[in-house]
Amino acid sequence: MKRLSDSLPMMLYRTLDSVMPNFRRIFAQFGLTEQQWRVLRALWENNSLPLLYLSKATLISSPSLVGVVDRLERDGLVVRERTATDRRIVKVRATAQGMALEDQVTPLVDQAYAVLNQHLSESDWHNLYKGLDSLIQQPQPKEKRAQAKTKGAGR
Amino acid sequence: MKRLSDSLPMMLYRTLDSVMPNFRRIFAQFGLTEQQWRVLRALWENNSLPLLYLSKATLISSPSLVGVVDRLERDGLVVRERTATDRRIVKVRATAQGMALEDQVTPLVDQAYAVLNQHLSESDWHNLYKGLDSLIQQPQPKEKRAQAKTKGAGR
DNA sequence: TTTATTTAGTTAATATGTTAATCATTAACA
DNA sequence: TGTTAATGATTAACATATTAACTAAATAAA
């Protein structure tokens, strides 16, 4: 049987353990966590985003995102804004202070990516992404959707 | 610039998000978390392991592992054993109850892996692992080792 | 329009992840 | 051998992850 250490999940975790510390070290220099950076970067690309979109863009689940945004707000890097048309929606916007971080953090992050890129050839990157993409596209077991309502027959 | 969603970390996280729920669903059927399963599986392969080895085998950091083992012990699945020769070492052993889970969980997990395997061709798997391996082997920034002691010259 | 359903965000409860600091033991050494 | 450094496990402080439940607001349906 395949050894635990060679399973796909373990390989993925090991890769993250190998790659992420380099980036986290950079984020830490600016008092940011990895998740906080992901949120900020999404906001740098889009002025203002609803939490739900932000959740999808950062891959941070809604419950976790609430706390991440709380702390970003506490630190004065973003603000929450209620939407007038649909009052259920809460948009998040980066403050001037939050925006200012982009030019400071981005160069360092880009450089770290550049270093990372050197470790694989062009075709190796292509093949790696191809494999990951296939796994991502893998048909997900359908969410337990609202059951087709059996109208009438109350059983 | 490369979009956030296409960065290597995001691709890795997305892959895990796509793959892991299927396994977690299985673990949950037995009241196990993903990490608890990793510890148990390591113990199934090796009767008894020091926490430090267990940490490396499961990719769970020492501080996290303490809690994972605490809860496994609480649930009667493993026990801690002090080593006589070196009393700093704590070994973890699966109880009969913990051992019994192997034959129940393994078939389901193996099947999940079998399904997963079908999503990529033999060569795609090879290429994927090759890429991940290269990133894992990537030279790590050396730990801040104990500084070469400058004996004498107290500065 | 009244009611049921869906949606966006949040809270709650529990389990981990991350980094730094501590404790008890050993190992190394002057 | 008394002191210092290195180890293995744990604790502390904080930030997330995961799943389920809940609230307010908007929609669809009766």
Side-chain angles (χ1 to χ4, degrees):
Chain A
M1 195 225 280
K2 179 176 282 190
R3 292 190 56 76
L4 172 58
S5 56
D6 297 329
S7 68
L8 173 69
M10 294 302 268
M11 288 295 287
L12 295 174
Y13 286 129
R14 216 191 300 278
T15 305
L16 282 168
D17 284 351
S18 174
V19 170
M20 295 317 294
N22 305 306
F23 290 96
R24 295 206 194 98
R25 226 186 317 279
I26 295 174
F27 303 147
Q29 292 177 37
F30 301 91
L32 296 175
T33 64
E34 181 189 336
Q35 292 72 200
Q36 291 174 349
W37 176 80
R38 295 221 294 264
V39 168
L40 282 180
R41 175 154 177 188
L43 293 178
W44 292 333
E45 291 183 355
N46 310 275
N47 277 337
S48 174
L49 288 175
L51 277 171
L52 199 57
Y53 284 13
L54 207 45
S55 172
K56 289 171 184 169
T58 59
L59 301 187
I60 297 173
S61 67
S62 288
S64 292
L65 190 56
V66 170
V68 175
V69 172
D70 280 348
R71 287 176 285 275
L72 279 172
E73 203 167 16
R74 175 199 65 191
D75 297 342
L77 300 178
V78 308
V79 289
R80 277 183 167 87
E81 297 173 338
R82 278 281 164 191
T83 298
T85 57
D86 187 334
R87 281 142 53 199
R88 288 171 303 181
I89 300 177
V90 173
K91 285 190 170 186
V92 182
R93 176 191 307 282
T95 63
Q97 191 184 165
M99 293 300 289
L101 279 178
E102 178 172 14
D103 293 335
Q104 302 178 54
V105 185
T106 302
L108 296 182
V109 172
D110 285 347
Q111 186 188 331
Y113 272 122
V115 171
L116 189 59
N117 270 319
Q118 301 175 349
H119 292 288
L120 264 72
S121 72
E122 190 85 24
S123 72
D124 282 347
W125 275 114
H126 174 78
N127 288 327
L128 172 58
Y129 269 56
K130 182 185 171 191
L132 294 177
D133 249 328
S134 299
L135 292 172
I136 292 169
Q137 300 306 328
Q138 171 203 179
Q140 292 305 308
K142 36 245 163 262
E143 304 277 318
K144 55 161 181 263
R145 299 217 164 288
Q147 307 193 337
K149 78 174 151 194
T150 53
K151 56 162 61 173
R155 172 77 66 95
Chain B
M1 194 225 278
K2 179 176 284 188
R3 293 190 54 77
L4 173 58
S5 56
D6 296 329
S7 68
L8 174 68
M10 294 303 269
M11 288 294 287
L12 294 174
Y13 285 129
R14 216 191 299 279
T15 305
L16 282 168
D17 283 350
S18 173
V19 170
M20 295 316 296
N22 304 307
F23 290 97
R24 294 206 194 97
R25 225 185 319 279
I26 295 174
F27 304 147
Q29 294 177 36
F30 300 91
L32 296 175
T33 65
E34 182 189 337
Q35 292 72 198
Q36 291 175 349
W37 176 80
R38 296 222 294 263
V39 169
L40 282 181
R41 175 153 177 189
L43 293 178
W44 292 332
E45 291 182 355
N46 311 274
N47 276 337
S48 174
L49 287 175
L51 276 171
L52 199 58
Y53 284 13
L54 207 46
S55 173
K56 290 171 184 168
T58 59
L59 300 188
I60 298 173
S61 67
S62 288
S64 292
L65 190 56
V66 170
V68 176
V69 172
D70 279 348
R71 287 176 285 275
L72 281 172
E73 204 168 13
R74 176 199 65 191
D75 297 341
L77 300 178
V78 308
V79 289
R80 277 183 168 88
E81 298 174 338
R82 276 282 164 188
T83 298
T85 57
D86 187 337
R87 281 141 49 196
R88 287 171 302 184
I89 300 176
V90 173
K91 285 191 168 185
V92 181
R93 175 192 307 285
T95 63
Q97 192 183 161
M99 294 299 290
L101 279 177
E102 179 172 14
D103 293 336
Q104 302 178 54
V105 184
T106 303
L108 297 182
V109 172
D110 285 348
Q111 187 188 331
Y113 272 121
V115 171
L116 189 58
N117 269 319
Q118 301 176 347
H119 293 288
L120 265 72
S121 72
E122 190 84 24
S123 72
D124 282 347
W125 276 113
H126 174 78
N127 288 328
L128 172 59
Y129 269 57
K130 181 185 172 190
L132 294 177
D133 248 328
S134 299
L135 292 172
I136 293 170
Q137 299 308 325
Q138 169 202 182
Q140 292 306 305
K142 37 236 157 274
E143 304 276 318
K144 54 163 181 260
R145 299 218 165 285
Q147 308 193 336
K149 81 175 147 191
T150 53
K151 57 163 59 173
R155 171 77 70 91

